[in-house]
Amino acid sequence: MVNIWEFANTHPRVSLVDQSGKRYVGQTLMVFDAEESDDERDSIAIEMDSGEIIMFYPEEISAIETVE
């Protein structure tokens, strides 16, 4: 499982690969703490270049890295 908290403070542009192998590239909008968002798990929100916002839980991510 990846550590999404590495991307919390700088909100970088990232390349994320989900467990099915699909790649997503976009800007990190927010990393949500489970306790603060009334969820059972932490999550990360990515804004795609199309404007679509997608949320991921750490266990759904096989790889994530900062890109320019």
Side-chain angles (χ1 to χ4, degrees):
M1 186 165 29
V2 300
N3 180 4
I4 59 175
W5 288 99
E6 293 177 21
F7 306 94
N9 295 321
T10 58
H11 302 283
R13 184 168 172 78
V14 295
S15 173
L16 182 149
V17 179
D18 69 12
Q19 291 294 332
S20 69
K22 186 170 179 182
R23 180 175 304 276
Y24 301 86
V25 177
Q27 189 71 35
T28 303
L29 288 181
M30 182 79 166
V31 176
F32 295 94
D33 181 86
E35 292 179 12
E36 293 177 3
S37 61
D38 292 327
D39 200 340
E40 295 179 7
R41 302 170 284 176
D42 295 343
S43 59
I44 186 170
I46 307 296
E47 182 176 10
M48 309 298 292
D49 293 338
S50 66
E52 179 182 11
I53 297 172
I54 304 175
M55 292 189 64
F56 296 92
Y57 293 110
E59 63 273 8
E60 298 173 328
I61 303 169
S62 64
I64 186 171
E65 63 183 6
T66 301
V67 295
E68 293 191 31

